[in-house]
């Protein structure tokens, strides 16, 4: 407890402590006065399309609030983000709508601070572009355009155009701007190129003179090297060996032309209608294996960017004898779906021309390829449309030769297919089908069916064919298999007889080994020790069944509703300790692919009896044994005593005396 004097002093101490804390708080508050800063300060310069951010931050206030506005209260055209004591205004991208003085206002309780920043914009994004009205041709006027794109403000733009160190033209764009926009400004100048201009450069220099704004670059320039052209002239042709040639010969023609840059040489042939057929873009044109139709006027032209100059020469080609061979011979045998190549070759003519046709002028239905003195007609795949006589016509100069080849078709593509109507089961009829697919011509087909070495069926298809088509033919027969057929082989032999046509194979065959199944039978069940048992006894039920292949054994129990409950897949079903509820019908099934055989057995489980009159089989056996053993022991004792009295024992004598 405090004394009364101490109690009077305590309020005075509390007043002093409270007064000191107030003074310290005021000193701290003064040291943390509410202040505001803006970045960048006062003014920022941005190019149209760029991104800028204005940042306003405070000190001396834990939770200030911020607001942004333009000085003329127009839309901000930017995004504001506030985080603690900082606020950011982002303009992305900068546009004409951002050219304002922006004011940031920060409020802390009853205090409010403002700071402004001026956003200045400009556009000077790309170097100037130099364009020519055409190629610089010697002694011909040309106009140069210097173009500066997307400038703002364009009233401060200056463009200078120089050729080498010489100023061609200069311009300042001082016209007033009636609105804010990106402008593309240009400067044009015309001059006449001469040889001294070769190697010089055109320079377009653009300046944006805005001294009060600090930005880079304030000057841009583009340089274009001058290329002065001279139109082609003095074009000449040199021919080796001669302008008059024999059919099959060769000639080389070389052309030259003067100009700047060096002209490119083009060779053409003048057609009958006066048009030019372009042949080559090289200075040298070599023609080999000349033909009569190669005769004519050949034109050489030297061409560059500013003009062309040409000259011509006439070639004359004379005829030469030739021969034609066609392969693989006068006749070709082809299987439908295969590829056949007919080749037409020429000797004695270096540059033949080829044409193919059928004798009845039907479509070729093939692809022609010609290389030099050889032409091929590829029929792929061969179809009924190709069963014709084909003619190859060769033209060499003014001469024509023709050769004929016949295309005959057949189709025998696959081995026969043997199918059974079902599983081979001993004693059950089965139908065998031997099918030969996609045969042509089918009227020459013969099918034979063998079982082992024995022919069991054959058929020849002699019916007339009213149209060309792929036919699938088959032979069917029915037989009853036996177990003796197992291991034998069915053979289906198909032969296609087509007159004198040579082709391989002319016969095809398929084989199928026979495996005759025997349905399960003679299913039997052996129960040990008995089908009638005392509860708690063990029982073995063994099932056997004959069949081919060996039947699979399945034990089931027949439920009250007649359904079967699967129990085991072993041949022996063992119940080790039977119960009354194990009584019932047990079913054994022998199963293979050919069928199923079933055998049932009824198992009866009897309960134990507890009265005294009950004799188990074991007690009965013991009783019978004892009834026989006791008399036997008595007889042994009797005969032993007799032997002792006589001094010997004979079983024979004993039997006699007994008699």
């Amino acid at each position: 407890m405090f004394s009364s004097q101490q109690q009077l002093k305590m309020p005075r101490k509390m007043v002093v402590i409270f007064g000191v804390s107030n003074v310290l708080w005021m000193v701290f508050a003064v040291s943390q006065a509410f202040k505001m800063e803006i970045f960048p300060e006062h003014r920022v310069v941005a190019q149209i399309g760029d991104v800028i951010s204005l940042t306003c931050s405070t000190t001396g206030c834990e939770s200030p609030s911020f607001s942004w506005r333009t000085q003329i209260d127009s839309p901000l055209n930017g995004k504001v983000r506030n985080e603690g004591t900082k606020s950011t205004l982002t303009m992305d991208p900068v546009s004409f709508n951002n050219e304002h003085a922006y004011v940031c206002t920060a409020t802390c309780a009853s205090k409010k601070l403002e700071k402004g920043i001026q956003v200045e914009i400009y556009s000077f994004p790309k170097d100037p572009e130099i364009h020519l009205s055409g190629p610089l041709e010697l002694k011909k006027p040309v106009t140069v355009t210097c173009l500066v794109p997307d400038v703002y403000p364009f009233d401060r733009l200056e463009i200078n155009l120089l050729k080498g160190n010489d100023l061609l033209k200069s311009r300042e764009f001082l016209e007033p701007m009636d609105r804010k926009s990106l402008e593309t400004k240009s400067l044009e100048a015309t001059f006449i190129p001469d040889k001294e201009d070769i190697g010089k450069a055109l320079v377009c220099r653009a300046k944006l003179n805005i001294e009060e704004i600090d930005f880079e670059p304030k000057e841009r320039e583009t340089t274009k090297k001058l290329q002065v052209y001279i139109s082609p002239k003095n074009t000449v042709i040199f021919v080796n060996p001669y302008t008059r040639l024999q059919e099959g010969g060769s000639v080389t023609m070389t052309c030259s032309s003067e100009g700047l840059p060096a002209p490119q040489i083009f060779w053409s042939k003048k057609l009958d209608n006066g048009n030019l057929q372009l042949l080559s873009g090289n200075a040298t044109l070599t023609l080999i294996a000349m033909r009569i139709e190669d005769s004519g006027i050949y034109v050489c032209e030297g061409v560059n960017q500013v003009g062309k100059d040409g000259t011509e020469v006439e070639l004359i080609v004379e005829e030469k004898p030739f021969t034609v061979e066609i392969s693989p011979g006068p006749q070709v045998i082809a299987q439908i779906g295969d590829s056949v190549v007919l080749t037409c070759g020429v000797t004695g003519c270096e540059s033949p021309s080829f044409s193919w046709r059928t004798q009845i002028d039907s479509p070729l239905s093939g692809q022609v390829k010609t290389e030099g003195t050889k032409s091929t007609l590829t029929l792929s795949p061969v179809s009924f449309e190709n069963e014709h006589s084909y003619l190859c016509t060769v033209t060499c100069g003014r001469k024509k030769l023709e050769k004929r080849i016949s295309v005959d078709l057949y189709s025998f593509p696959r081995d026969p297919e043997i199918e059974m109507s079902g599983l081979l089961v001993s004693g059950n009829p089965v139908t065998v089908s031997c099918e030969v697919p996609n045969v042509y011509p089918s009227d020459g087909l013969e099918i034979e069916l063998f079982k082992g070495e024995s022919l069991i069926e054959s058929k020849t298809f002699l019916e007339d064919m009213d149209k060309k088509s792929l036919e699938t033919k088959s032979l069917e027969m029915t037989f009853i298999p036996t177990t003796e057929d197992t291991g034998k082989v069915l053979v289906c032999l198909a032969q296609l007889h087509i007159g004198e046509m040579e082709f391989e194979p002319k016969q095809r065959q398929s084989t199928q080994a026979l495996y005759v199944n025997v349905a399960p039978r003679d299913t039997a069940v052996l129960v040990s020790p008995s089908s009638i048992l005392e509860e708690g006894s063990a029982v073995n039920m063994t099932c056997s069944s004959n069949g081919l292949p060996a039947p699979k054994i399945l034990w089931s129990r027949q439920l009250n509703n007649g359904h079967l409950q699967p129990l085991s897949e072993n041949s022996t079903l063992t119940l080790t300790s039977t119960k009354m509820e194990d009584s019932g019908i047990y079913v054994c099934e022998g199963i293979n692919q050919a069928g199923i055989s079933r055998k049932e057995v009824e198992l009866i489980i009897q309960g134990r009896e507890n009265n005294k009159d009950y004799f188990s089989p074991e007690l009965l056996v013991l009783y019978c044994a004892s009834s026989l053993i006791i008399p036997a022991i008595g007889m042994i004792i009797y005969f032993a005593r007799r032997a002792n009295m006589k001094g010997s024992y004979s079983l024979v004598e004993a039997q006699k005396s007994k008699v």
Side-chain angles (χ1 to χ4, degrees):
M1 295 296 292
F2 296 103
S3 64
S4 59
Q5 189 174 2
Q6 288 176 327
Q7 290 178 354
L8 290 172
K9 288 180 180 179
M10 286 182 65
R12 292 178 184 175
K13 290 181 180 179
M14 293 177 65
V15 170
V16 172
I17 293 170
F18 180 74
V20 171
S21 64
N22 281 342
V23 171
L24 292 174
W25 171 254
M26 291 174 66
V27 171
F28 177 76
V30 170
S31 65
Q32 296 294 320
F34 181 42
K35 293 181 181 180
M36 174 183 176
E37 291 182 356
I38 194 165
F39 180 82
E41 294 182 358
H42 309 306
R43 184 170 70 173
V44 62
V45 179
Q47 180 159 239
I48 293 174
D50 288 353
V51 179
I52 62 169
S53 295
L54 309 181
T55 303
C56 188
S57 61
T58 65
T59 57
C61 183
E62 292 185 2
S63 302
S65 62
F66 296 92
S67 65
W68 290 84
R69 62 184 175 81
T70 65
Q71 207 162 25
I72 59 174
D73 287 333
S74 58
L76 287 178
N77 294 303
K79 292 183 179 179
V80 176
R81 184 178 180 185
N82 297 326
E83 289 184 356
T85 60
K86 185 169 68 174
S87 178
T88 302
L89 172 60
T90 301
M91 303 165 198
D92 181 12
V94 173
S95 67
F96 290 113
N97 296 327
N98 298 117
E99 194 171 29
H100 297 297
Y102 285 86
V103 178
C104 174
T105 302
T107 304
C108 184
S110 60
K111 291 183 180 182
K112 182 182 292 186
L113 295 177
E114 283 189 346
K115 282 205 174 185
I117 183 170
Q118 179 68 37
V119 176
E120 303 284 356
I121 65 171
Y122 75 99
S123 180
F124 196 36
K126 292 186 284 190
D127 292 338
E129 300 172 9
I130 298 176
H131 301 280
L132 297 173
S133 60
L136 295 178
E137 189 173 355
L138 194 68
K139 303 301 182 183
K140 291 186 178 180
V142 65
T143 299
V144 183
T145 301
C146 179
L147 185 144
V148 183
D150 301 333
V151 180
Y152 175 81
F154 66 83
D155 59 351
R156 307 291 184 91
L157 180 64
E158 178 185 353
I159 303 178
N160 294 312
L161 182 60
L162 300 90
K163 184 177 69 170
N165 296 323
D166 301 326
L167 180 65
L168 287 180
K169 197 170 184 179
S170 178
R171 182 180 175 186
E172 293 184 10
F173 298 84
L174 301 175
E175 63 265 27
M177 295 192 302
D178 54 352
R179 61 188 177 88
K180 292 181 180 181
S181 64
L182 299 179
E183 297 283 343
T184 296
K185 296 298 181 180
S186 62
L187 173 65
E188 290 186 356
T190 301
F191 71 98
I192 299 175
D194 55 31
K195 288 186 178 181
E196 295 177 357
D197 291 330
I198 297 174
K200 289 184 179 180
L202 286 175
V203 179
C204 178
R205 186 174 297 135
K207 297 180 181 179
L208 194 59
N209 300 313
I210 312 176
E211 302 299 335
E212 62 273 19
I213 298 179
D214 186 17
F215 66 92
E216 289 293 338
K218 289 189 176 183
E219 181 177 307
R220 290 180 176 272
E221 75 174 33
T222 299
T223 301
K224 187 180 185 71
K225 191 173 181 180
L226 293 178
Q227 174 65 55
V228 180
Y229 299 95
I230 299 175
S231 183
K233 58 183 179 180
N234 301 328
T235 304
V236 293
I237 296 175
F238 300 95
V239 181
N240 182 30
Y242 310 106
T243 58
R244 184 177 293 273
L245 305 161
Q246 189 179 42
E247 192 176 20
S250 301
V251 64
T252 298
M253 296 181 286
T254 304
C255 181
S256 64
S257 184
E258 299 174 1
L260 188 67
Q264 184 177 358
I265 302 300
F266 292 97
W267 280 99
S268 303
K269 184 181 180 185
K270 187 177 288 186
L271 303 179
D272 294 338
N273 59 7
N275 294 335
L276 294 179
Q277 177 188 7
L278 182 64
L279 300 177
S280 172
N282 297 322
T284 299
L285 175 65
T286 300
L287 302 176
I288 61 174
M290 299 287 287
R291 300 171 296 176
I292 298 296
E293 53 267 33
D294 290 328
S295 298
I297 296 174
Y298 291 79
V299 179
C300 168
E301 289 183 313
V303 180
N304 66 10
Q305 290 88 330
V306 292
K308 63 182 178 179
D309 182 55
T311 187
E312 59 187 39
V313 64
E314 183 178 8
L315 297 182
I316 299 173
V317 182
E318 299 173 342
E319 288 184 351
K320 182 181 178 181
F322 67 98
T323 59
V324 178
E325 294 293 333
I326 197 164
S327 61
Q331 183 188 34
V332 59
I333 310 299
Q335 179 161 247
I336 294 172
D338 288 352
S339 293
V340 172
V341 179
L342 310 181
T343 303
C344 190
V346 179
T347 56
C349 180
E350 294 186 5
S351 301
S353 63
F354 297 87
S355 66
W356 291 85
R357 64 183 178 88
T358 65
Q359 201 163 27
I360 58 173
D361 287 330
S362 58
L364 282 179
S365 301
Q367 184 176 3
V368 176
K369 183 180 181 181
T370 301
E371 292 182 353
T373 60
K374 185 173 69 175
S375 180
T376 57
L377 171 60
T378 302
L379 312 176
S380 180
V382 174
S383 65
F384 292 113
E385 298 173 350
N386 302 121
E387 196 167 29
H388 298 295
S389 289
Y390 288 86
L391 297 172
C392 172
T393 303
V394 181
T395 304
C396 187
R398 295 180 178 85
K399 291 183 179 180
K400 285 186 179 180
L401 289 178
E402 200 167 62
K403 285 284 185 176
R404 175 182 173 276
I405 185 171
S406 175
V407 176
D408 293 318
L409 302 181
Y410 77 97
S411 180
F412 197 35
R414 300 203 302 270
D415 292 338
E417 299 171 2
I418 300 175
E419 291 187 1
M420 301 285 187
S421 61
L423 194 68
L424 289 179
V425 179
S426 179
N428 292 350
V430 65
T431 299
V432 182
S433 170
C434 179
E435 186 177 89
V436 184
N438 300 330
V439 179
Y440 175 80
S442 60
D443 57 356
L445 180 66
E446 179 184 3
I447 303 177
E448 295 177 322
L449 186 61
F450 295 84
K451 185 171 70 170
E453 300 293 331
S454 303
L455 176 66
I456 57 176
E457 190 71 38
S458 67
K459 185 176 182 180
T460 302
F461 299 85
L462 299 176
E463 62 267 22
D464 293 332
M465 295 193 304
D466 55 352
K467 62 174 182 176
K468 293 181 179 181
S469 64
L470 297 179
E471 301 282 345
T472 296
K473 299 296 184 179
S474 63
L475 168 67
E476 289 188 357
M477 68 91 57
T478 300
F479 73 100
I480 299 175
T482 65
T483 54
E484 295 176 355
D485 290 329
T486 296
K488 291 184 179 180
V489 176
L490 278 180
V491 179
C492 178
L493 177 65
Q495 301 179 68
L496 191 59
H497 307 288
I498 315 177
E500 298 178 356
M501 287 177 62
E502 291 296 330
F503 65 93
E504 289 296 335
K506 287 191 174 182
Q507 70 176 32
R508 289 180 175 274
Q509 72 175 33
S510 293
T511 62
Q512 183 168 322
L514 296 178
Y515 183 84
V516 180
N517 297 271
V518 177
R521 60 188 177 183
D522 303 331
T523 302
V525 175
L526 176 63
V527 182
S528 177
S530 172
S531 61
I532 301 174
L533 300 167
E534 179 183 314
E535 186 177 18
S537 301
V539 64
N540 290 325
M541 293 180 284
T542 302
C543 181
S544 62
S545 183
N546 297 325
L548 193 64
K552 176 183 176 182
I553 300 300
L554 176 63
W555 276 102
S556 304
R557 182 178 180 184
Q558 185 170 311
L559 303 178
N560 293 332
N561 57 7
H563 294 167
L564 294 180
Q565 177 189 6
L567 298 177
S568 173
E569 293 185 3
N570 295 325
S571 58
T572 299
L573 177 63
T574 300
L575 304 180
T576 56
S577 180
T578 56
K579 300 177 183 179
M580 296 284 289
E581 53 267 29
D582 290 331
S583 297
I585 295 175
Y586 289 78
V587 179
C588 167
E589 292 175 310
I591 303 169
N592 67 10
Q593 297 95 316
I596 184 170
S597 176
R598 176 171 170 170
K599 184 70 174 179
E600 297 180 357
V601 61
E602 184 177 6
L603 194 64
I604 301 173
I605 310 300
Q606 297 177 340
R608 296 177 182 272
E609 296 184 10
N610 296 322
N611 55 50
K612 293 181 180 179
D613 296 332
Y614 171 78
F615 287 93
S616 66
E618 291 83 356
L619 291 176
L620 185 61
V621 170
L622 183 60
Y623 172 77
C624 293
S626 61
S627 63
L628 294 174
I629 291 171
I630 292 173
I633 293 172
M635 289 182 68
I636 291 171
I637 294 172
Y638 171 76
F639 287 118
R641 287 178 178 176
R642 291 285 302 268
N644 288 335
M645 287 189 298
K646 290 183 179 182
S648 64
Y649 173 74
S650 171
L651 180 60
V652 176
E653 292 297 326
Q655 292 292 337
K656 287 180 178 180
S657 63
K658 188 177 180 180
V659 173

